[in-house]
Amino acid sequence: SAPQRGTLLVKSVLDRMKGESGTRFGIESGRVPAGLVTGLAEKRTGAIFNSIDGTLARLKRSKDADEVAMMRQSIRAIDAGFAAARERIHAGMSEFDAFHTVERASRDSLGMLMPIYGDFVSGPNTEVGGGAPSERIIREGDLFLLDYSVVVYGYRGDFANAWVVDGKASDQIRYLHDACREAL
């Protein structure tokens, strides 16, 4: 995010409010910078600010058929990316190469360009919780973490999985796997 994003939001809302005559305003309290409400209150004597969080949550959860269709497109694209990853990711390729393999398969399944983001890491990079792909070369026996989303007109799915590339799991990976299963 741009460092001045909150300030720009406050300024934009205050500029827009100059031409409005209302005194009751709905705010998404969890997303509104404190300075925005303070600034509005100073500019609008008698202004009443109501949280609309509950209403927005209900609206966000409710989806029309076209929205569901876009989420399904996203999920199909992710599914295609995972299939390509399981088939084509191998020791000797970089994490960037793995990312491009997944991106290409996801894009081809949709027939269009779309944003794709998430974790595409291997080996020791999986121990820090994921991240963007790097030039790191994937080695035999590495754990590969693939946790990503495909955005289709603002809607997305998100899948995650990890597997051992071209080899067997180390004792440490087996131990962590067993601990996770036990915890679940």
Side-chain angles (χ1 to χ4, degrees):
S1 298
Q4 300 300 320
R5 186 175 183 178
T7 303
L8 292 173
L9 176 61
V10 170
K11 183 183 179 323
S12 175
V13 171
L14 289 173
D15 288 347
R16 174 74 170 98
M17 301 286 297
K18 287 177 185 173
E20 302 295 327
S21 60
T23 57
R24 293 179 56 102
F25 303 96
I27 61 169
E28 190 174 4
S29 60
R31 300 185 60 101
V32 176
L36 176 60
V37 177
T38 303
L40 288 173
E42 289 171 357
K43 301 277 186 196
R44 292 276 182 152
T45 305
I48 299 169
F49 298 95
N50 294 314
S51 170
I52 57 171
D53 294 355
T55 301
L56 285 177
R58 284 190 300 281
L59 290 171
K60 287 177 182 179
R61 289 187 181 276
S62 176
K63 301 292 181 232
D64 292 330
D66 62 326
E67 294 174 297
V68 172
M70 285 183 273
M71 288 187 287
R72 286 187 174 142
Q73 277 187 293
S74 172
I75 289 168
R76 281 193 298 275
I78 295 167
D79 211 22
F82 264 101
R86 294 291 299 198
E87 181 180 313
R88 298 184 197 130
I89 292 177
H90 58 84
M93 70 189 313
S94 72
E95 292 173 352
F96 277 127
D97 293 334
F99 168 80
H100 289 299
T101 296
V102 170
E103 178 189 42
R104 220 175 352 266
S106 297
R107 181 190 62 224
D108 289 350
S109 78
L110 285 174
M112 65 180 183
L113 293 174
M114 72 307 189
I116 180 173
Y117 67 93
D119 301 314
F120 299 83
V121 297
S122 62
N125 292 340
T126 64
E127 297 170 14
V128 294
S134 72
E135 289 292 342
R136 182 184 186 279
I137 300 300
I138 301 168
R139 297 185 181 115
E140 183 177 318
D142 274 352
L143 189 63
F144 187 83
L145 172 62
L146 180 56
D147 177 1
Y148 79 105
S149 293
V150 172
V151 182
V152 178
Y153 299 113
Y155 294 86
R156 68 203 75 215
D158 186 332
F159 291 172
N161 204 339
W163 65 93
V164 176
V165 177
D166 296 341
K168 295 186 178 195
S170 68
D171 289 341
Q172 176 68 7
I173 290 173
R174 273 195 281 278
Y175 169 78
L176 293 171
H177 174 267
D178 292 345
C180 287
R181 285 184 60 124
E182 182 67 27
L184 291 172

